[in-house]
Amino acid sequence: MLILILSYIIVFSFIISKWSFLRMNSIPSYALILVFLIKIIAGFLSFSYHNYYFAGGDSAIYLRGGQDLIDFSRGNPLRYISLFLNLHRDLPEWESIYSQIIYWDSKSYFNMINDNRNAIRFNSLLSLLSFRNTYVHIIILNFVSIIGLVALYKSFKRFLPQLPSFLIFMAVFLSPSILFWSSGILKETHTIFFVGLYYLVLSKIISTQKPVYIFPLFLLLFFVILSRTYFSAFIIISTIYLLSARIFKIHTLKMNGILLM
């Protein structure tokens, strides 16, 4: 098991050092690799914390539910896709399967989109790559979150070009809340992936005004809504604010540090 864990860490660290998308001006690759290792440790601690105090809590729900989708598919890809897409709800055989997956069906009328189910789906896809190893699962999740955080860093660099890169790096990658909540098997980990890419695409729309980015923007917003429903409201409000500033040329935003013109 240790060899498997170390192998994944080495492979992802190598990707981080070589992938051009993950390169950040003024920030060396080894700094990002160090953040990746810190986040892995934070992810292990987060999982242990939820295990000790909450009998697994949300982490166990999303991990176990994702693995259930694989187990109940019985090695049949079409059956897995059907379960993943929540099909055949009118058939007793399938209903009995769905009833065994905890939180697959939301009991709250306010959770109409059911982001718990979507978290289970996301972790199910990662379970196909993690060989059912919880620690490997956390490593993969943290690599995914690193992509989102790099995208968020790049978008902040576009919006706040006058701020030192080091300060933006510290705020995006090393704030305690980011380290804890975006490192474990939680909704926030994959949400930060979609949020980061969303703001990066939005920053490109504002700076280039190219319509080619509009579809990816709406697609990423859709994924944000699926991942963390209530959080999408803040994303939409901030988008309206930034686009309005660009359209109506609100130059006072420059004094606030947001350079859109």
Side-chain angles (χ1 to χ4, degrees):
M1 183 178 74
L2 181 59
I3 294 177
L4 182 65
I5 292 172
L6 291 176
S7 298
Y8 268 81
I9 292 175
I10 292 171
V11 168
F12 283 131
S13 296
F14 178 78
I15 293 173
I16 289 172
S17 67
K18 297 299 182 182
W19 190 7
S20 59
F21 176 79
L22 298 180
R23 291 176 189 160
M24 299 174 289
N25 294 334
S26 306
I27 304 296
S29 296
Y30 69 80
L32 189 57
I33 293 174
L34 181 60
V35 169
F36 176 56
L37 297 177
I38 293 173
K39 279 176 59 58
I40 289 173
I41 295 172
F44 291 168
L45 292 175
S46 172
F47 186 78
S48 300
Y49 167 79
H50 284 88
N51 251 351
Y52 186 81
Y53 288 104
F54 305 105
D58 288 348
S59 298
I61 290 170
Y62 304 145
L63 182 63
R64 180 66 258 174
Q67 293 174 351
D68 282 344
L69 287 182
I70 298 173
D71 291 338
F72 289 131
S73 68
R74 302 170 189 168
N76 186 327
L78 292 179
R79 187 178 177 87
Y80 175 78
I81 293 173
S82 295
L83 288 169
F84 189 90
L85 297 177
N86 197 39
L87 303 180
H88 311 301
R89 292 307 307 250
D90 55 334
L91 299 178
E93 175 196 352
W94 291 79
E95 284 294 336
S96 66
I97 294 175
Y98 290 124
S99 66
Q100 297 177 63
I101 305 175
I102 187 171
Y103 282 177
W104 184 255
D105 291 320
S106 177
K107 294 178 174 57
S108 172
Y109 292 106
F110 296 101
N111 193 11
M112 293 179 291
I113 293 178
N114 197 344
D115 48 19
N116 288 324
R117 181 186 296 167
N118 293 322
I120 291 172
R121 285 168 166 154
F122 187 86
N123 281 279
S124 180
L125 292 175
L126 294 191
S127 292
L128 296 172
L129 304 174
S130 64
F131 300 101
R132 312 295 287 270
N133 185 300
T134 301
Y135 298 106
V136 171
H137 195 94
I138 292 172
I139 292 169
I140 298 173
L141 269 176
N142 275 288
F143 177 72
V144 170
S145 71
I146 281 289
I147 295 173
L149 289 172
V150 168
L152 196 61
Y153 168 88
K154 290 184 176 181
S155 64
F156 282 166
K157 282 294 294 179
R158 287 172 177 265
F159 291 138
L160 306 165
Q162 73 280 15
L163 283 185
S165 299
F166 176 74
L167 290 181
I168 298 178
F169 179 83
M170 293 291 292
V172 170
F173 290 94
L174 295 176
S175 62
S177 58
I178 289 290
L179 283 177
F180 184 81
W181 293 109
S182 74
S183 299
I185 307 176
L186 301 168
K187 295 175 187 174
E188 288 76 12
T189 307
H190 58 271
T191 300
I192 202 72
F193 170 75
F194 295 119
V195 169
L197 292 176
Y198 174 86
Y199 276 115
L200 181 59
V201 173
L202 177 63
S203 69
K204 289 183 177 181
I205 288 178
I206 292 174
S207 61
T208 66
Q209 302 181 47
K210 292 182 178 179
V212 69
Y213 294 115
I214 293 177
F215 175 74
L217 186 75
F218 279 103
L219 182 61
L220 287 165
L221 178 60
F222 173 71
F223 284 130
V224 171
I225 293 172
L226 291 182
S227 301
R228 207 69 168 129
T229 308
Y230 74 87
F231 186 71
S232 60
F234 299 100
I235 301 296
I236 294 171
I237 291 173
S238 66
T239 300
I240 294 173
Y241 177 79
L242 292 168
L243 290 177
S244 298
R246 180 65 180 88
I247 293 171
F248 297 108
K249 301 185 182 301
I250 304 176
H251 296 282
T252 54
L253 288 178
K254 292 182 179 180
M255 293 186 293
N256 295 327
I258 301 179
L259 186 59
L260 299 177
M261 314 306 169

